[in-house]
């Protein structure tokens, strides 16, 4: 069977508890997707890539993600097993492609957790500086001895906090996440209700200042904006990774993905329209675009509220992604491609303890020591790469196992929609600079080496096949 040996049966019964409802899944998706993207990236994208036409970029990104969500929904309905895309590809294409997908997801989520933690640290340091408080230089920045910086303490502390939260019973984690998501939405709704009365139509007079851009290889324009705003939707796949703790996963996983994506798309479009209507796009290249827009019209109290809520609620992205990533590592470990210690479940809380600790340790190191430049680009290219594999996987699923049965979700127009998805993903990948591609290539090589040196020789399927001989 070699590196393309397949997992032909569903995973053995999980030790995790099934207690999550559709509302929990929607809040998990919203917690993952509504964060740095809407608070920061919308302004940067409008200023540097697409102007007010970033709304069109968002629609293009949403279509791309929406196609992938259809594939996720059918996979989740037909193969309701732990591991998300990793397990789906394992079933349809084999072990090595599945490992590569799992590796890209690990890189995506680890970098996202670290990046959001760094963003949270920046907001918090800004709040402290307004009161004249500041950490010593050695603890106030990522590793840069020339500037006297050795470690960024606040991002490390927030990752430690998040890890502690995720180690709790998952029901408690979801309740806390739900409260924080509601708080986050209160700030965005406040911004929209205030902003619509301060829109200057002249700010939309040059709606698409950078043009449409290029389908392949562009650096600015609507398409380049779409490649950036893909970042906004990262995390929707975390819903499928909760399958072992969901009641009726074949029905609720597809619903959770569809509803959370629809809400997020609508929210991003409205916020971007209001943002670029309140402030000319050329002034939005700031890290706190939503708060900046409110300050620009003299509503400092509202801006401060948004900033405080951002500090409190950016942590939801870390919680959602830490939760999902720990379960991804748990699934890969159960299959033998990572050490078995990461598939151990705590007796009392019934959570993958060692996997959660691994995520926390690596994310804390990355957030505290390494500067994360071009984080959105690296996250996106890893995600787009595995979504291409997943799109091909749905074609293979139909070829191998036929159409879905009655009661299972069915993606329409297969193989046409998967092929369209692959073309769109390749177009978005081509918008990134060479440095992003080099980082992606190096990451891929490291993943291949880990599989060849460890995973291939410790695979649970390999041992099973040997026992049967």
């Amino acid at each position: 069977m070699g590196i393309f040996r397949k997992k032909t049966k569903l995973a053995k019964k999980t030790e995790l508890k099934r207690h999550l409802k559709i509302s929990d899944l929607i809040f998990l998706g919203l917690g993952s997707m509504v964060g740095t993207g809407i608070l920061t990236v919308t302004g940067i994208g409008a200023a540097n890539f697409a102007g007010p036409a970033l709304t069109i970029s968002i629609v293009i990104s949403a279509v791309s993600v929406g196609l992938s969500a259809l594939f996720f929904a059918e996979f989740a309905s037909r193969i309701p097993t732990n591991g998300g895309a990793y397990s789906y590809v394992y079933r349809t294409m084999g072990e090595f492609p599945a490992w590569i997908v799992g590796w890209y997801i690990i890189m995506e989520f680890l970098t996202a957790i670290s990046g959001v933690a760094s963003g949270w640290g920046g907001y918090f340091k800004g709040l402290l500086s307004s009161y004249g408080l500041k950490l010593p230089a050695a603890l106030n920045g990522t590793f840069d001895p020339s500037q006297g910086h050795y470690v960024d303490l606040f991002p490390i502390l927030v990752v430690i906090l998040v890890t502690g939260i995720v180690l709790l019973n998952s029901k408690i984690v979801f309740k806390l996440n739900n409260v924080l998501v509601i708080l986050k939405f209160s700030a965005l709704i406040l911004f929209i209700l205030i902003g619509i009365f301060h829109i200057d139509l002249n700010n939309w007079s040059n709606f698409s200042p950078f043009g449409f851009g290029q389908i392949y290889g562009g650096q600015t324009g609507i398409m380049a904006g779409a490649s950036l705003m893909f970042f906004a939707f990262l995390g929707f796949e975390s819903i499928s990774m909760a399958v072992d703790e969901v009641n009726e996963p074949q029905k609720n996983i597809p619903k959770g993905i569809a509803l959370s994506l629809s809400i997020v798309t609508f929210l991003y479009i409205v916020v971007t329209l209001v943002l670029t209507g309140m402030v000319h796009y050329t002034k939005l290249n700031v890290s706190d675009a939503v708060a900046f827009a409110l300050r620009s019209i003299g509503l400092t109290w509202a801006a401060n509220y948004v900033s405080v809520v951002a500090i409190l609620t950016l942590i939801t992205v870390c919680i959602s992604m830490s939760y999902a990533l720990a379960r991804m590592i748990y699934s890969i470990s159960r299959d033998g491609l990572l050490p078995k210690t990461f598939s151990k479940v705590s007796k009392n809380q019934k959570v993958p303890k060692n996997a959660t600790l691994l995520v926390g340790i690596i994310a804390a190191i990355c957030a505290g020591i390494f500067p994360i430049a071009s984080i959105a680009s690296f996250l996106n290219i890893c995600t787009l790469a595995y979504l291409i594999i997943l799109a091909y996987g749905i074609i293979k699923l139909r070829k191998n196992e036929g159409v879905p049965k009655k009661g299972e979700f069915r993606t329409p127009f297969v193989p046409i929609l998967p092929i369209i998805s692959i073309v769109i993903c390749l177009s978005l990948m081509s918008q990134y600079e060479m440095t992003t591609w080099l980082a992606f290539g190096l990451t891929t090589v490291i993943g291949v080496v880990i599989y060849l040196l460890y995973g291939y020789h410790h695979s649970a399927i390999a041992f099973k096949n040997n026992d049967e001989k």
Side-chain angles (χ1 to χ4, degrees), residues 107-415:
M107 291 300 100
E108 170 201 345
F109 278 48
L110 269 180
T111 313
I113 294 165
S114 303
V116 173
S118 296
W120 181 92
Y123 270 103
F124 194 63
K125 283 185 282 188
L127 182 64
L128 290 180
S129 65
S130 65
Y131 294 97
L133 301 175
K134 189 176 182 181
L135 285 174
L139 303 176
N140 203 34
T142 54
F143 188 76
D144 186 0
S146 64
Q147 299 295 320
H149 299 318
Y150 291 92
V151 66
D152 201 357
L153 181 61
F154 283 135
I156 293 176
L157 294 178
V158 76
V159 171
I160 292 173
L161 173 63
V162 167
T163 302
I165 292 172
V166 177
L167 283 171
L168 298 173
N169 178 280
S170 58
K171 191 65 177 178
I172 298 174
V173 174
F174 272 80
K175 285 182 179 179
L176 176 61
N177 182 72
N178 294 354
V179 171
L180 292 175
V181 169
I182 291 171
L183 183 61
K184 188 188 321 185
F185 268 67
S186 73
L188 294 174
I189 292 171
L190 175 67
F191 169 73
I192 293 169
L193 292 178
I194 292 175
I196 57 176
F197 294 104
H198 293 84
I199 290 175
D200 182 354
L201 296 180
N202 292 323
N203 290 331
W204 292 340
S205 60
N206 188 7
F207 194 77
S208 183
F210 299 94
F212 185 78
Q214 300 177 20
I215 299 295
Y216 287 95
Q219 298 298 318
T220 59
I222 290 172
M223 284 302 298
S227 71
L228 177 71
M229 291 311 299
F230 196 82
F231 177 82
F233 298 97
L234 299 185
F236 79 94
E237 62 269 48
S238 63
I239 295 173
S240 67
M241 296 180 199
V243 66
D244 281 332
E245 294 162 276
V246 177
N247 293 318
E248 298 184 278
Q250 289 175 298
K251 295 181 179 179
N252 288 334
I253 293 289
K255 288 180 182 178
I257 292 173
L259 290 172
S260 60
L261 269 176
S262 300
I263 294 169
V264 169
T265 301
F266 175 77
L267 187 64
Y268 267 82
I269 290 173
V270 173
V271 168
T272 302
L273 281 173
V274 173
L275 188 65
T276 54
M278 292 174 65
V279 180
H280 197 266
Y281 74 91
T282 55
K283 300 177 181 179
L284 289 174
N285 191 26
V286 294
S287 61
D288 56 345
V290 172
F292 173 82
L294 291 170
R295 290 191 188 97
S296 70
I297 58 173
L299 294 180
T300 304
W301 66 269
N304 289 341
Y305 177 74
V306 169
S307 296
V308 170
V309 168
I311 292 171
L312 292 174
T313 62
L314 276 178
I315 197 173
T316 61
V317 181
C318 292
I319 291 173
S320 299
M321 291 195 166
S322 295
Y323 168 89
L325 182 53
R327 280 142 185 82
M328 165 65 72
I329 293 173
Y330 164 82
S331 300
I332 296 175
S333 174
R334 291 178 85 196
D335 293 330
L337 304 186
L338 286 174
K340 285 292 186 181
T341 185
F342 299 123
S343 59
K344 291 183 178 179
V345 175
S346 61
K347 292 182 179 179
N348 295 328
Q349 304 299 339
K350 295 297 181 182
V351 298
K353 179 180 178 181
N354 292 342
T356 302
L357 290 173
L358 177 69
V359 171
I361 291 170
I362 297 178
I365 292 172
C366 293
I369 297 178
F370 301 110
I372 307 178
S374 303
I375 181 174
S377 296
F378 180 73
L379 285 175
N380 290 352
I381 201 168
C382 288
T383 307
L384 288 163
Y386 94 72
L387 290 181
I388 289 173
I389 299 173
L390 190 72
Y392 179 67
I394 202 73
I395 298 175
K396 287 282 291 182
L397 179 65
R398 290 290 184 89
K399 181 180 179 181
N400 296 343
E401 303 184 25
V403 298
K405 299 176 183 178
K406 184 178 180 180
E408 295 178 338
F409 184 87
R410 180 172 181 171
T411 301
F413 306 116
V414 174

Side-chain angles (χ1 to χ4, degrees), residues 13-32:
K13 182 175 175 60
T14 178
E15 299 176 71
L16 306 178
K17 293 182 178 179
R18 292 191 182 278
H19 53 75
L20 303 180
K21 299 177 291 186
I22 183 67
S23 59
D24 294 314
L25 294 180
I26 293 172
F27 277 101
L28 177 63
L30 296 179
S32 297

